[in-house]
Amino acid sequence: MSATPAAERMPALYLSHGAPPLADDALWPGQLASWSASLPRPRAILMVSAHWEEAPLALGAVETVPLVYDFWGFPEHYYRVRYAAPGAPELADSVRKLLRGAGTPVQDITDRGLDHGVYVPLVEMFPDADIPVLQISMPTLDPQKLMEIGRRLAPLRDEGVLIVGSGFFTHNLAALRQGGIPGWSVEFDDWGQRALAAADVDALLDFENKSPAGRLAHPRTEHFAPLFVTLGASEGELKSGRSVIDGFWMGLAKRSVQFG
């Protein structure tokens, strides 16, 4: 992407994106809206969602195509949500150059629309849908490899690109119980907050072994994995990290963080 005129350096985010009913929550949409209002306006948004695993790494549509309603059994109105953000072909070109230059295979899936890990939070954060959005896949769940992808993408921040990893800070739907917040969710959230505050990347990379209840909080790690793209894109600034949103929703930790 062209950096002329000069673009403001953007932060990098990891957010807990919520399910479609997030739109009906009394608190969370306002938290996301307040967060976006505090950010510089992005020239484009690059999103990595827990809901798209594809290898080799794939770029989604670079023109506006229908959304991916990748959920089942919800009321009909959740399938009527629209988010017709412009495509980002220039950003896609930049991503290809940065990643292919690092020896990472890149493919294009030209009809792949934004999934709910992307559009659910963006509807609340940038409701006008007037900022170009590009979604890329996670080609692996290996934290080290995802951090390296984030490092390669980091220069985009100086071109006004907001890099966002979209997951959920704890995510084990099968182990949720009726009422209350599970102890494993509280324990992992507290550990994760302290590890982030200390910029303890080694602990975060080995979260399955270093954290309390890590395997309960993330029996499959796809919702924590986008954090590592964000961490890679923020290397050198990790001590600037701060939690913008915390607390719990349906027993899951919705911690969301900003670097830079």
Side-chain angles (χ1 to χ4, degrees), residues 164-175:
V164 183
S166 177
F168 223 124
F169 208 70
T170 62
H171 194 266
N172 185 345
L173 302 181

mmCIF file with all atom_site columns, all heavy atoms in Angstrom, residues 164-175:
data_model
loop_
_atom_site.group_PDB
_atom_site.id
_atom_site.type_symbol
_atom_site.label_atom_id
_atom_site.label_alt_id
_atom_site.label_comp_id
_atom_site.label_asym_id
_atom_site.label_entity_id
_atom_site.label_seq_id
_atom_site.pdbx_PDB_ins_code
_atom_site.Cartn_x
_atom_site.Cartn_y
_atom_site.Cartn_z
_atom_site.occupancy
_atom_site.B_iso_or_equiv
_atom_site.pdbx_formal_charge
_atom_site.auth_seq_id
_atom_site.auth_comp_id
_atom_site.auth_asym_id
_atom_site.auth_atom_id
_atom_site.pdbx_PDB_model_num
ATOM 1  N N   . VAL A 1 164 ? -5.638  -6.920  13.331 1.00 0.00 ? 164 VAL A N   1
ATOM 2  C CA  . VAL A 1 164 ? -6.518  -7.407  14.391 1.00 0.00 ? 164 VAL A CA  1
ATOM 3  C C   . VAL A 1 164 ? -6.530  -8.930  14.386 1.00 0.00 ? 164 VAL A C   1
ATOM 4  O O   . VAL A 1 164 ? -6.856  -9.555  13.375 1.00 0.00 ? 164 VAL A O   1
ATOM 5  C CB  . VAL A 1 164 ? -7.969  -6.905  14.209 1.00 0.00 ? 164 VAL A CB  1
ATOM 6  C CG1 . VAL A 1 164 ? -8.846  -7.373  15.370 1.00 0.00 ? 164 VAL A CG1 1
ATOM 7  C CG2 . VAL A 1 164 ? -8.011  -5.387  14.076 1.00 0.00 ? 164 VAL A CG2 1
ATOM 8  N N   . GLY A 1 165 ? -6.168  -9.515  15.518 1.00 0.00 ? 165 GLY A N   1
ATOM 9  C CA  . GLY A 1 165 ? -6.403  -10.927 15.750 1.00 0.00 ? 165 GLY A CA  1
ATOM 10 C C   . GLY A 1 165 ? -7.721  -11.079 16.489 1.00 0.00 ? 165 GLY A C   1
ATOM 11 O O   . GLY A 1 165 ? -7.942  -10.440 17.520 1.00 0.00 ? 165 GLY A O   1
ATOM 12 N N   . SER A 1 166 ? -8.599  -11.917 15.964 1.00 0.00 ? 166 SER A N   1
ATOM 13 C CA  . SER A 1 166 ? -9.952  -12.043 16.506 1.00 0.00 ? 166 SER A CA  1
ATOM 14 C C   . SER A 1 166 ? -10.188 -13.473 16.983 1.00 0.00 ? 166 SER A C   1
ATOM 15 O O   . SER A 1 166 ? -10.221 -14.406 16.169 1.00 0.00 ? 166 SER A O   1
ATOM 16 C CB  . SER A 1 166 ? -10.978 -11.671 15.426 1.00 0.00 ? 166 SER A CB  1
ATOM 17 O OG  . SER A 1 166 ? -12.302 -11.856 15.889 1.00 0.00 ? 166 SER A OG  1
ATOM 18 N N   . GLY A 1 167 ? -10.307 -13.638 18.294 1.00 0.00 ? 167 GLY A N   1
ATOM 19 C CA  . GLY A 1 167 ? -10.532 -14.963 18.857 1.00 0.00 ? 167 GLY A CA  1
ATOM 20 C C   . GLY A 1 167 ? -11.449 -14.874 20.065 1.00 0.00 ? 167 GLY A C   1
ATOM 21 O O   . GLY A 1 167 ? -12.475 -14.199 20.042 1.00 0.00 ? 167 GLY A O   1
ATOM 22 N N   . PHE A 1 168 ? -11.052 -15.565 21.131 1.00 0.00 ? 168 PHE A N   1
ATOM 23 C CA  . PHE A 1 168 ? -11.757 -15.453 22.420 1.00 0.00 ? 168 PHE A CA  1
ATOM 24 C C   . PHE A 1 168 ? -10.771 -15.876 23.486 1.00 0.00 ? 168 PHE A C   1
ATOM 25 O O   . PHE A 1 168 ? -10.104 -16.906 23.337 1.00 0.00 ? 168 PHE A O   1
ATOM 26 C CB  . PHE A 1 168 ? -12.999 -16.355 22.454 1.00 0.00 ? 168 PHE A CB  1
ATOM 27 C CG  . PHE A 1 168 ? -14.214 -15.699 23.052 1.00 0.00 ? 168 PHE A CG  1
ATOM 28 C CD1 . PHE A 1 168 ? -15.395 -15.618 22.339 1.00 0.00 ? 168 PHE A CD1 1
ATOM 29 C CD2 . PHE A 1 168 ? -14.177 -15.163 24.327 1.00 0.00 ? 168 PHE A CD2 1
ATOM 30 C CE1 . PHE A 1 168 ? -16.517 -15.005 22.872 1.00 0.00 ? 168 PHE A CE1 1
ATOM 31 C CE2 . PHE A 1 168 ? -15.289 -14.556 24.878 1.00 0.00 ? 168 PHE A CE2 1
ATOM 32 C CZ  . PHE A 1 168 ? -16.468 -14.471 24.151 1.00 0.00 ? 168 PHE A CZ  1
ATOM 33 N N   . PHE A 1 169 ? -10.652 -15.097 24.559 1.00 0.00 ? 169 PHE A N   1
ATOM 34 C CA  . PHE A 1 169 ? -9.561  -15.298 25.511 1.00 0.00 ? 169 PHE A CA  1
ATOM 35 C C   . PHE A 1 169 ? -9.698  -16.616 26.255 1.00 0.00 ? 169 PHE A C   1
ATOM 36 O O   . PHE A 1 169 ? -8.708  -17.212 26.666 1.00 0.00 ? 169 PHE A O   1
ATOM 37 C CB  . PHE A 1 169 ? -9.466  -14.121 26.486 1.00 0.00 ? 169 PHE A CB  1
ATOM 38 C CG  . PHE A 1 169 ? -8.078  -13.895 27.021 1.00 0.00 ? 169 PHE A CG  1
ATOM 39 C CD1 . PHE A 1 169 ? -7.079  -13.406 26.204 1.00 0.00 ? 169 PHE A CD1 1
ATOM 40 C CD2 . PHE A 1 169 ? -7.770  -14.181 28.342 1.00 0.00 ? 169 PHE A CD2 1
ATOM 41 C CE1 . PHE A 1 169 ? -5.789  -13.204 26.684 1.00 0.00 ? 169 PHE A CE1 1
ATOM 42 C CE2 . PHE A 1 169 ? -6.483  -13.984 28.839 1.00 0.00 ? 169 PHE A CE2 1
ATOM 43 C CZ  . PHE A 1 169 ? -5.494  -13.496 28.012 1.00 0.00 ? 169 PHE A CZ  1
ATOM 44 N N   . THR A 1 170 ? -10.902 -17.080 26.491 1.00 0.00 ? 170 THR A N   1
ATOM 45 C CA  . THR A 1 170 ? -11.141 -18.475 26.869 1.00 0.00 ? 170 THR A CA  1
ATOM 46 C C   . THR A 1 170 ? -12.259 -18.991 25.984 1.00 0.00 ? 170 THR A C   1
ATOM 47 O O   . THR A 1 170 ? -13.167 -18.251 25.601 1.00 0.00 ? 170 THR A O   1
ATOM 48 C CB  . THR A 1 170 ? -11.513 -18.644 28.360 1.00 0.00 ? 170 THR A CB  1
ATOM 49 O OG1 . THR A 1 170 ? -12.731 -17.941 28.640 1.00 0.00 ? 170 THR A OG1 1
ATOM 50 C CG2 . THR A 1 170 ? -10.412 -18.126 29.267 1.00 0.00 ? 170 THR A CG2 1
ATOM 51 N N   . HIS A 1 171 ? -12.185 -20.286 25.649 1.00 0.00 ? 171 HIS A N   1
ATOM 52 C CA  . HIS A 1 171 ? -13.173 -20.807 24.702 1.00 0.00 ? 171 HIS A CA  1
ATOM 53 C C   . HIS A 1 171 ? -13.298 -22.323 24.853 1.00 0.00 ? 171 HIS A C   1
ATOM 54 O O   . HIS A 1 171 ? -12.529 -23.085 24.273 1.00 0.00 ? 171 HIS A O   1
ATOM 55 C CB  . HIS A 1 171 ? -12.776 -20.460 23.262 1.00 0.00 ? 171 HIS A CB  1
ATOM 56 C CG  . HIS A 1 171 ? -13.881 -20.661 22.279 1.00 0.00 ? 171 HIS A CG  1
ATOM 57 N ND1 . HIS A 1 171 ? -14.033 -21.828 21.564 1.00 0.00 ? 171 HIS A ND1 1
ATOM 58 C CD2 . HIS A 1 171 ? -14.901 -19.856 21.910 1.00 0.00 ? 171 HIS A CD2 1
ATOM 59 C CE1 . HIS A 1 171 ? -15.091 -21.723 20.780 1.00 0.00 ? 171 HIS A CE1 1
ATOM 60 N NE2 . HIS A 1 171 ? -15.640 -20.536 20.969 1.00 0.00 ? 171 HIS A NE2 1
ATOM 61 N N   . ASN A 1 172 ? -14.273 -22.718 25.659 1.00 0.00 ? 172 ASN A N   1
ATOM 62 C CA  . ASN A 1 172 ? -14.589 -24.136 25.818 1.00 0.00 ? 172 ASN A CA  1
ATOM 63 C C   . ASN A 1 172 ? -16.090 -24.238 26.040 1.00 0.00 ? 172 ASN A C   1
ATOM 64 O O   . ASN A 1 172 ? -16.564 -24.246 27.170 1.00 0.00 ? 172 ASN A O   1
ATOM 65 C CB  . ASN A 1 172 ? -13.815 -24.757 26.978 1.00 0.00 ? 172 ASN A CB  1
ATOM 66 C CG  . ASN A 1 172 ? -14.041 -26.256 27.086 1.00 0.00 ? 172 ASN A CG  1
ATOM 67 O OD1 . ASN A 1 172 ? -14.960 -26.817 26.490 1.00 0.00 ? 172 ASN A OD1 1
ATOM 68 N ND2 . ASN A 1 172 ? -13.196 -26.921 27.861 1.00 0.00 ? 172 ASN A ND2 1
ATOM 69 N N   . LEU A 1 173 ? -16.833 -24.273 24.956 1.00 0.00 ? 173 LEU A N   1
ATOM 70 C CA  . LEU A 1 173 ? -18.286 -24.268 25.057 1.00 0.00 ? 173 LEU A CA  1
ATOM 71 C C   . LEU A 1 173 ? -18.800 -25.536 25.721 1.00 0.00 ? 173 LEU A C   1
ATOM 72 O O   . LEU A 1 173 ? -19.807 -25.514 26.433 1.00 0.00 ? 173 LEU A O   1
ATOM 73 C CB  . LEU A 1 173 ? -18.905 -24.103 23.667 1.00 0.00 ? 173 LEU A CB  1
ATOM 74 C CG  . LEU A 1 173 ? -18.496 -22.843 22.894 1.00 0.00 ? 173 LEU A CG  1
ATOM 75 C CD1 . LEU A 1 173 ? -19.196 -22.808 21.543 1.00 0.00 ? 173 LEU A CD1 1
ATOM 76 C CD2 . LEU A 1 173 ? -18.789 -21.583 23.690 1.00 0.00 ? 173 LEU A CD2 1
ATOM 77 N N   . ALA A 1 174 ? -18.109 -26.650 25.534 1.00 0.00 ? 174 ALA A N   1
ATOM 78 C CA  . ALA A 1 174 ? -18.577 -27.922 26.077 1.00 0.00 ? 174 ALA A CA  1
ATOM 79 C C   . ALA A 1 174 ? -18.487 -27.969 27.597 1.00 0.00 ? 174 ALA A C   1
ATOM 80 O O   . ALA A 1 174 ? -19.229 -28.716 28.246 1.00 0.00 ? 174 ALA A O   1
ATOM 81 C CB  . ALA A 1 174 ? -17.779 -29.077 25.472 1.00 0.00 ? 174 ALA A CB  1
ATOM 82 N N   . ALA A 1 175 ? -17.567 -27.188 28.178 1.00 0.00 ? 175 ALA A N   1
ATOM 83 C CA  . ALA A 1 175 ? -17.347 -27.238 29.620 1.00 0.00 ? 175 ALA A CA  1
ATOM 84 C C   . ALA A 1 175 ? -18.063 -26.123 30.375 1.00 0.00 ? 175 ALA A C   1
ATOM 85 O O   . ALA A 1 175 ? -17.902 -25.991 31.583 1.00 0.00 ? 175 ALA A O   1
ATOM 86 C CB  . ALA A 1 175 ? -15.850 -27.191 29.930 1.00 0.00 ? 175 ALA A CB  1
#
